[in-house]
Amino acid sequence: MAEFKAAQGAVASEGDAMTTGKECQNLCVFVAELYNFQVISCQLVYDVIRLCIKDINEFTAELLLKLIRISGQQLRKDDPLALKEIVRQVTETIGASGKLSVRCKFMVESLTSLKDNRMRNEMSQNAENVARLRRFLGNMDKRRAVGAAEPINIGLQDIRDIETKGKWWLVGSSWVGNQYTGDTDGPTALQKAQKDSDNAEMERLLKMAREQHMNTDIRRSIFITLLSSDDYADAFERLLKLDLKNAQAREMMRVILHCSGQEQAYNPYYTLVAYKLCSYHNTYRLTMQYALWDFLRELGESDVGGLGRISEESSSLGANVPLRRIVNLAKTYAWLVDKQVLSLLILKTVTFARVGEQARVFFQVMFSTLFLLHKKQSAQDVQAVYSVFQHAVSNPTMCHGILFFFQHFVKNCELVSEDERPIMKWGCKVAKQAIRSGVGSTSFDDM
């Protein structure tokens, strides 16, 4: 480590020694290969890259190109956001410097190609060679019964601070007291403020979870994950990382539907999270079906099938369910049916001829939303609506009930504006054509 620290000092220096010989280039290749074989994490490699882009010249451009060729694909995979930020910094630095050499321009193009996932053949070939060698080394470990080790998560600053904060690779030589030597009032205060802020946010989320009757650790974990994620893709990844099994995993969909129903206005965020999960595994689609049946039973439709239980939010049939919850869930199911991660066959146990008032509103909002998603009425819209109803023709009884409901409650739906009613009639017509073509019966002509 002492030799490595001395070598790192050479990389960091700005004298002529830095630009002579191949020592710095060899050290960068050494660091990149250590990273490729998971000895160190991407933190040290990105620190070296940041050091190089502070002063872009022929020599630093050469170092950057070597790092990109050797470890570019793995860097993009491990931390694409850091790579994006580095490309931004390089662009700003180049904009300030003005004139650039051909070598520097080539380096910038390589970085941009790496960020945009346009890998050159040389990068791809090197990544394949590394993967082959890693498999070979992994098989050697299996024969020798050597346990897998995590990459060392260090940065340049950790190497620079060996004398003041201890030799962290030796047990007992780096102790917490060393972290506070010297002038550290600023960072310590910042860290404390950040910790206090994180604790306050967690307390707020836990309080909301209690208010929303998240009465188990699993439900609370799902709830907090949903509300603390950056976007629906982040929420999807974090929910999967909870590593819930069987019945625990099915709680995800029920918590998502609960949160969606509690919003004052429809929030597509929860619908997109549900879409990602339903696209991921059939278990979640099945749970959405059972959750819908439970909700319809809660609306008073006691003959609708399901798991034989009422959802936890209510224990009585025909309870007065808030209108916002009915509308939000209807729009959620309409969007999922339109994207065909759910089929209209989830309604196979519904008796449309005698639905109650609350269930009627739910289905009016659901079908009207389904049609309004294709308000342009283009050829693609016709095909999308046609396809949704064509997949339901395997249950003629349900199709007959849907067309009956369209005739009496959707064609001239009072829940939509006058301008939108032609869209309702258009949607009902397309649905009828799809059902007739599939069922092959003339019994629908008078509907």
Side-chain angles (χ1 to χ4, degrees), residues 310-347:
I310 308 303
S311 59
E312 297 176 8
E313 289 77 8
S314 176
S315 59
S316 60
L317 292 173
N320 188 18
V321 179
L323 181 61
R324 71 167 187 275
R325 188 169 169 226
I326 296 175
V327 172
N328 290 347
L329 295 189
K331 290 183 177 181
T332 295
Y333 276 97
W335 199 88
L336 295 175
V337 168
D338 180 67
K339 300 304 177 185
Q340 298 192 28
V341 294
L342 294 180
S343 167
L344 277 180
L345 291 174
I346 61 175
L347 307 178

Side-chain angles (χ1 to χ4, degrees), residues 99-223:
K99 189 176 180 180
L100 279 180
S101 65
V102 175
R103 193 65 174 166
C104 292
K105 290 180 179 178
F106 179 71
M107 179 271 296
V108 174
E109 291 175 1
S110 299
L111 268 177
T112 304
S113 297
L114 177 61
K115 177 181 74 74
D116 296 336
N117 202 23
R118 300 194 300 268
M119 304 302 298
R120 300 181 184 275
N121 293 333
E122 186 177 352
M123 292 182 185
S124 301
Q125 183 64 37
N126 185 70
E128 292 173 4
N129 293 336
V130 169
R132 191 181 306 113
L133 287 171
R134 282 173 62 179
R135 286 194 296 269
F136 173 75
L137 293 175
N139 292 332
M140 290 181 63
D141 286 346
K142 291 177 182 177
R143 290 195 296 267
R144 297 173 56 194
V146 177
E150 290 292 325
I152 303 172
N153 190 23
I154 60 169
L156 280 178
Q157 195 60 41
D158 295 310
I159 300 174
R160 291 189 178 113
D161 294 340
I162 289 173
E163 295 298 333
T164 58
K165 295 185 179 180
K167 300 176 181 179
W168 39 264
W169 65 94
L170 297 178
V171 177
S173 64
S174 179
W175 59 287
V176 70
N178 282 345
Q179 309 302 318
Y180 302 101
T181 58
D183 183 15
T184 58
D185 292 342
T188 302
L190 181 61
Q191 292 170 4
K192 185 177 183 299
Q194 182 65 40
K195 184 177 180 181
D196 291 342
S197 175
D198 292 343
N199 290 339
E201 178 66 13
M202 182 57 66
E203 284 296 324
R204 185 183 70 85
L205 292 175
L206 285 172
K207 182 181 178 182
M208 290 179 62
R210 288 191 294 268
E211 292 173 351
Q212 295 299 321
H213 308 293
M214 299 293 138
N215 50 9
T216 66
D217 290 339
I218 299 300
R219 288 172 68 86
R220 279 191 290 270
S221 298
I222 297 169
F223 181 83

Side-chain angles (χ1 to χ4, degrees), residues 24 79 143 336 421:
C24 286
D79 196 347
R143 290 195 296 267
L336 295 175
R421 288 188 182 179

Side-chain angles (χ1 to χ4, degrees), residues 11-28:
V11 175
S13 65
E14 297 180 359
D16 293 338
M18 180 177 179
T19 57
T20 57
K22 296 292 183 178
E23 183 178 2
C24 286
Q25 294 184 19
N26 292 339
L27 284 171
C28 284

